[in-house]
Structures are given as C-alpha cells and as structure tokens.
C-alpha cells in the first residue's frame, strides 16, 4: 500500500421495530454510508504487454468518495408460540477497498502481480432470506435459505503476461449471484447433556461470465455433544 493511503467510513442508520398484527411483526431500517479514500498511486504504461513488463510512468494522487442509501425490511410471523416464519429483504453497498484500487502487489497465488486500478465503482446488492424457527421444550432449531444478487462485481482481470508473470487489474466485471442454506439446532438429551450442530452451504456464480464465483467457502458444519455440570 502507498504510505499515504487512507480509508475513512461513516455510517448513520435508523431502525424501527413494528407490531403489525397480533402475530406479525416487522423490523425495518435505512442507512446512509459515506466513504472517503485516497493514496498516491503508481502509474503504469501497460502497452508493452504481452512480452514486456509494464513500465512505471509516474505517480498520481487520487481521492475518490462514495455515498449510498440502503434499506432493509424483515418480517416475523408467529404460527404458534413454538413456530415462527421469518423473511427479509436487504440492500447492500460496498465501495472499492484500498486492496481493490491502490495496491501494487506480487503477494498473490502463482506468478501474478496486481497493478493499481482507478475509476472503480461500488458493488451493490440485494439479499433475500426466508427461514423458520422452532422452539420447543427440548428442541431449538432454525433453518434459512438466502440468495444475493450483486451488481458491479469487482474482480481481478488479467491484462497480459511477461516473463511468466501475469499482470492484473480490478474491474467492475458484471453481475453475480450467491445462494445458500444455513441450519442450526440443539436438542436436550437430559438436564445435563445437549446435542448441537450447524451446517452452512453456499453456491456462487459469476453470472456475466457464466463461471463459479471465487472465494466461496466450502460446505462446513459442526456436530457436537455438550455436558454441563448441574451445579
């Protein structure tokens, strides 16, 4: 990172809890986010690619600012005291990070080098989620399905190779989608012993390029048993 890099973020939000009917409640809110960032970035002439490495041509100080309003609403419906249905819709906003925009780095898997990138736009998203919650005398459990639509996805794009090294910049490459399920619960075997577990699965797709999305975590979960001393 350039030594004069900075990244400042300020957010303000309001949230309301509303009881719509005897069984239906809502949580809704709105948020304003503003990000100021800057650095003196190294300028490169990439026309020698492929064949020759990019050439440093100087430096430029950049100081972009990003702002956005996002909102969310969630609903909880009480089927009965032991069973609740939940759902939500939430907007998202992610401004380009310093890693996206100002880094000159060869600390990447394989023979890759990231060059600074200016002119990136923020990513925006909408997340949808539906689920169910169960709470009985001995059983507590919840299950959710979610999907997220992303616009303006920021990703690494190769621009050429020289001497076995691939040079990359970041670009807003298009649209992406992430969906998955999350399960969690615990069951009281006795007053001392509890069986518990959780499971998370996600599937990501770069819709624009019709390929899997990078950095999606693998399926993961926990299954365990817990003993608690009654005293």
């Amino acid at each position: 990172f350039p030594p004069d890099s900075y990244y400042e973020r300020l957010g303000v939000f309001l949230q309301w809890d509303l009881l719509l009917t005897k069984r239906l409640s809502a949580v809704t809110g709105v948020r304003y986010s503003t990000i100021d960032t800057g650095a003196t970035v190294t300028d490169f002439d990439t026309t020698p690619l492929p064949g020759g490495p990019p050439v440093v041509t100087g430096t430029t100080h950049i100081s972009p600012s990003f702002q956005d309003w996002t909102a969310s609403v969630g609903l909880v419906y009480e089927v009965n005291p032991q069973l609740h249905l939940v759902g939500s819709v939430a907007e998202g906003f992610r401004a380009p990070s310093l890693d996206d925009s100002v880094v000159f780095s060869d600390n990447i898997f394989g023979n890759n080098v990231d060059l600074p990138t200016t002119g990136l736009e923020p990513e925006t998203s909408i997340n949808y989620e539906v689920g169910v919650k169960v709470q009985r005398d001995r059983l507590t459990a919840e299950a959710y399905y979610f999907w997220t639509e992303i616009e303006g996805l920021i990703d690494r794009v190769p621009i050429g190779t020289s001497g076995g090294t691939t040079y990359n910049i970041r670009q807003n490459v298009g649209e992406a989608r992430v969906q998955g399920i999350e399960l969690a619960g615990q069951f009281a075997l006795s007053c001392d012993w509890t069986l518990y577990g959780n499971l998370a699965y996600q599937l990501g797709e770069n819709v624009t390029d019709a390929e899997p999305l990078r950095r999606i975590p693998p399926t993961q979960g926990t299954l365990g048993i817990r003993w608690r001393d009654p005293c």
Side-chain angles (χ1 to χ4, degrees):
F1 295 94
D4 63 344
S5 302
Y6 66 90
Y7 196 92
E8 301 170 350
R9 180 177 185 127
L10 175 67
V12 181
F13 72 92
L14 295 172
Q15 181 172 299
W16 300 268
D17 296 324
L18 307 171
L19 187 61
L20 301 177
T21 69
K22 184 178 180 180
R23 293 190 175 187
L24 182 64
S25 61
V27 179
T28 184
V30 62
R31 178 185 180 95
Y32 173 73
S33 300
T34 178
I35 294 93
D36 293 312
T37 182
T40 300
V41 299
T42 304
D43 297 324
F44 287 90
D45 178 8
T46 60
T47 54
L49 292 169
V55 178
V56 176
T57 59
T59 59
T60 301
H61 184 78
I62 62 170
S63 55
S65 297
F66 309 96
Q67 301 85 31
D68 201 5
W69 290 87
T70 52
S72 65
V73 59
L75 299 174
V76 179
Y77 180 74
E78 180 183 311
V79 179
N80 56 54
Q82 292 82 35
L83 178 64
H84 292 74
L85 304 179
V86 298
S88 68
V89 179
E91 294 179 308
F93 164 74
R94 188 183 82 85
S97 66
L98 289 175
D99 189 60
D100 292 328
S101 54
V102 306
V103 165
F104 171 51
S105 172
D106 60 359
N107 186 26
I108 309 170
F109 178 79
N111 294 323
N112 283 269
V113 172
D114 274 354
L115 301 180
T117 307
T118 59
L120 290 172
E121 295 295 327
E123 295 178 344
T124 58
S125 65
I126 299 182
N127 183 78
Y128 307 90
E129 184 173 276
V130 293
V132 58
K133 296 182 177 182
V134 177
Q135 186 164 4
R136 303 181 66 87
D137 293 339
R138 301 173 65 183
L139 174 67
T140 300
E142 52 190 40
Y144 301 96
Y145 171 69
F146 73 89
W147 65 100
T148 304
E149 303 286 347
I150 302 172
E151 298 276 353
L153 176 70
I154 298 173
D155 204 355
R156 181 179 289 115
V157 176
I159 58 172
T161 302
S162 173
T165 299
T166 299
Y167 293 87
N168 308 277
I169 60 173
R170 305 296 179 95
Q171 289 184 353
N172 296 98
V173 297
E175 302 178 8
R177 179 182 300 116
V178 181
Q179 56 184 322
I181 58 171
E182 296 180 4
L183 310 174
Q186 60 180 23
F187 182 76
L189 301 172
S190 67
C191 59
D192 303 338
W193 292 91
T194 302
L195 183 68
Y196 66 92
N198 58 66
L199 177 69
Y201 167 80
Q202 297 182 42
L203 179 65
E205 178 188 9
N206 183 326
V207 177
T208 302
D209 295 336
E211 63 182 20
L213 193 64
R214 297 190 305 118
R215 297 183 177 179
I216 296 296
T219 302
Q220 52 192 307
T222 301
L223 182 62
I225 189 167
R226 179 185 297 113
W227 175 76
R228 184 184 299 275
D229 190 327
C231 298

